[in-house]
């Protein structure tokens, strides 16, 4: 396996890093509150970074999501890619791809997903009924990818009859909402295995986002402890601080390498369900430790809700349970391994 980015992937990641560092500032994020930054979203789509996902693959997307995570930029980038562009490209009909992908690539359409399936939404004759309590970036979305009780995938327009959305606040400011469907018309993605493929890609992508969140939290902690002095010397020279930061670094790298492996295997068309679960488990368990460490290493400043590091803490805690918490993922991974041994 080769995790080195291609020229196209590296160029896209570099461009994303420049745009995000310029526009996703602490002041702009604070001003956005729990909503998304429309100007930043327009800058990313205008630069072609959404449409590029078709070409750079899931590994390329992971690299871009790391940059989003570093800045905790409040845009529906991850959701639009993993619940819109990638599943439509992989599992949509030629007509669906021709109609939907251009709009998703330019940002005219925004996608999100009611994932994972929890058995709450039923389908009958193409009409969906049920509720998804908290869907990330739903307030921005024009389309929602909805799995039914049989794990069939349906694209539902948020402005369609029978679709109702209402704002929901989560620990992370993801413009989340509650989705209620009452005999709402859905558009089927008919390819076999679409749900399993989409869930594996989503878990991998959001693990990449968590790697960026952790890297950003750790970078802030390193900067703070290197400049903050206690008893006449920087906090970073304290052995306990160094050990805590080193542990956080190793955890962040574990998230990153397992995510890269899962993304690479998916891009290569290799079996990757267990690898995606492994990456998601590291993102949950290690991610939780890292964002706690980042906040603790800031001392009293880490308790300030207006401090930038607190945003990393909120994102990290939201991501540690999104698409399955550590114990759920471990149970699913164990069941998958057992099934493979019996086959």
């Amino acid at each position: 396996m080769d995790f080195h980015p291609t020229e196209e992937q590296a160029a896209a990641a570099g461009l994303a890093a420049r745009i995000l560092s310029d526009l996703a500032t602490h002041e702009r994020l604070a001003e956005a509150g729990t909503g998304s930054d429309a100007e930043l979203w327009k800058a990313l789509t205008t630069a072609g970074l959404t449409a590029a996902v078709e070409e750079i693959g899931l590994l390329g997307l992971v690299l871009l999501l790391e940059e989003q995570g570093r800045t905790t930029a409040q845009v529906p980038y991850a959701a639009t890619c993993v619940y819109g562009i990638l599943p439509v490209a992989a599992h949509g009909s030629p007509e669906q791809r021709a109609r939907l992908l251009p709009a998703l690539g330019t940002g005219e359409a925004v996608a999100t997903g009611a994932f994972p399936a929890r058995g709450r939404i039923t389908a009958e004759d193409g009409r969906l009924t049920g509720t998804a309590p908290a869907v990330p970036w739903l307030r921005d979305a024009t389309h929602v990818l909805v799995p039914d009780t049989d794990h069939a995938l349906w694209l539902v327009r948020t402005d369609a009859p029978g679709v109702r959305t209402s704002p929901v606040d989560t620990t992370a400011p993801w413009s989340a909402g509650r989705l209620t469907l009452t005999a709402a018309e859905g558009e089927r993605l008919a390819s076999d295995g679409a749900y399993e493929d989409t869930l594996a890609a989503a878990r991998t992508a959001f693990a990449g986002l968590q790697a960026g969140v952790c890297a950003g939290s750790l970078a802030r902690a390193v900067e703070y402890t290197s400049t903050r002095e206690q008893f006449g010397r920087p906090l970073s020279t304290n052995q306990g601080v160094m050990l805590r930061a080193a542990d956080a670094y190793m955890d962040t790298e574990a998230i990153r390498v397992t995510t890269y492996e899962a993304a690479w295997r998916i891009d290569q068309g290799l079996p990757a369900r267990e690898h995606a679960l492994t990456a998601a488990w590291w993102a949950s368990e290690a991610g939780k430790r890292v964002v706690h460490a980042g906040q603790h290493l800031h001392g009293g400043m880490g308790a300030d809700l207006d401090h930038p590091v607190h945003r990393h803490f909120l994102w990290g805690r939201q991501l540690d349970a999104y698409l399955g918490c550590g114990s759920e993922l471990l149970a699913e991974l164990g069941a998958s391994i057992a099934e493979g041994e019996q086959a």
Side-chain angles (χ1 to χ4, degrees), residues 3 6 17 35 51 81 108 113 123 162 166 180 193 226 233 239 255 318 336:
F3 298 159
T6 64
C81 293
E108 178 185 349
S166 54
T180 303
S226 297
R233 62 177 187 173
Q239 188 178 39
I255 300 170
Q318 184 71 25
S336 178

Side-chain angles (χ1 to χ4, degrees), residues 20 24 29 40 44 67-76 137 315:
L20 291 166
L29 291 170
L40 175 55
L44 291 171
E67 300 303 333
Q68 181 185 0
R70 288 178 202 275
T71 58
T72 60
Q74 291 169 205
V75 287
W137 288 289
W315 277 61

Side-chain angles (χ1 to χ4, degrees), residues 88-155:
V88 170
H91 301 289
S93 67
E95 187 277 332
Q96 286 172 325
R97 292 196 294 270
R99 172 167 47 86
L100 295 168
L101 289 176
L104 290 166
T106 61
E108 178 185 349
V110 175
T112 189
F115 273 64
R118 300 291 190 189
R120 297 188 178 102
I121 297 175
T122 60
E124 184 175 354
D125 297 328
R127 299 282 178 172
L128 305 175
T129 299
T131 300
V135 179
W137 288 289
L138 180 62
R139 283 178 260 168
D140 300 325
T142 58
H143 295 76
V144 187
L145 190 64
V146 178
D148 65 21
T149 51
D150 295 323
H151 288 184
L153 289 187
W154 304 83
L155 268 175

Side-chain angles (χ1 to χ4, degrees), residues 274 334-343:
E274 292 171 8
S336 178
I337 293 172
E339 290 172 6
E341 291 177 348
Q342 293 172 0

Side-chain angles (χ1 to χ4, degrees):
M1 63 187 68
D2 183 3
F3 298 159
H4 289 93
T6 64
E7 184 177 342
E8 292 79 8
Q9 290 170 340
L15 177 58
R18 289 195 295 275
I19 293 174
L20 291 166
S21 62
D22 286 345
L23 295 181
T25 61
H26 174 58
E27 292 74 21
R28 286 178 64 93
L29 291 170
E31 183 179 348
T34 62
S36 294
D37 187 330
E39 183 180 345
L40 175 55
W41 177 235
K42 183 177 180 180
L44 291 171
T45 55
T46 301
L49 291 175
T50 309
V53 173
E54 285 187 74
E55 300 298 327
I56 62 177
L58 184 56
L59 182 55
L61 174 60
V62 164
L63 297 175
L64 270 64
L65 291 178
E66 281 191 75
E67 300 303 333
Q68 181 185 0
R70 288 178 202 275
T71 58
T72 60
Q74 291 169 205
V75 287
Y77 187 69
T80 291
C81 293
V82 298
Y83 298 129
I85 291 176
L86 292 181
V88 170
H91 301 289
S93 67
E95 187 277 332
Q96 286 172 325
R97 292 196 294 270
R99 172 167 47 86
L100 295 168
L101 289 176
L104 290 166
T106 61
E108 178 185 349
V110 175
T112 189
F115 273 64
R118 300 291 190 189
R120 297 188 178 102
I121 297 175
T122 60
E124 184 175 354
D125 297 328
R127 299 282 178 172
L128 305 175
T129 299
T131 300
V135 179
W137 288 289
L138 180 62
R139 283 178 260 168
D140 300 325
T142 58
H143 295 76
V144 187
L145 190 64
V146 178
D148 65 21
T149 51
D150 295 323
H151 288 184
L153 289 187
W154 304 83
L155 268 175
V156 177
R157 290 192 61 94
T158 55
D159 60 357
V163 179
R164 183 163 60 88
T165 65
S166 54
V168 169
D169 288 330
T170 62
T171 53
W174 286 1
S175 296
R178 178 184 179 89
L179 176 69
T180 303
L181 304 175
T182 307
E185 185 176 356
E187 181 178 355
R188 175 82 182 271
L189 293 186
S191 178
D192 292 339
Y195 173 77
E196 290 75 14
D197 290 350
T198 301
L199 181 58
R203 282 172 165 162
T204 303
F206 280 97
L209 187 64
Q210 180 76 301
V213 169
C214 291
S217 175
L218 184 57
R220 291 188 182 279
V222 168
E223 180 182 9
Y224 178 81
T225 57
S226 297
T227 56
R228 177 75 171 180
E229 291 192 358
Q230 190 176 61
F231 305 118
R233 62 177 187 173
L235 284 172
S236 59
T237 61
N238 182 290
Q239 188 178 39
V241 171
M242 287 190 285
L243 290 173
R244 190 77 188 277
D247 286 342
Y249 174 79
M250 294 302 295
D251 272 338
T252 301
E253 288 302 297
I255 300 170
R256 179 178 287 118
V257 72
T258 53
T259 300
Y260 286 6
E261 181 179 12
W264 180 84
R265 290 183 67 88
I266 291 172
D267 283 343
Q268 296 299 313
L270 298 172
R273 180 190 175 199
E274 292 171 8
H275 299 79
L277 283 166
T278 300
W281 182 85
W282 275 104
S284 176
E285 294 294 307
K288 188 168 19 183
R289 291 194 294 266
V290 173
V291 296
H292 274 270
Q295 195 169 40
H296 290 167
L297 289 172
H298 278 77
M301 294 297 293
D304 183 357
L305 301 185
D306 294 324
H307 195 283
V309 77
H310 187 64
R311 189 175 291 107
H312 290 271
F313 177 77
L314 295 179
W315 277 61
R317 290 313 310 260
Q318 184 71 25
L319 284 165
D320 93 62
Y322 181 57
L323 299 181
C325 66
S327 58
E328 290 177 306
L329 296 164
L330 198 59
E332 190 176 338
L333 178 59
S336 178
I337 293 172
E339 290 172 6
E341 291 177 348
Q342 293 172 0

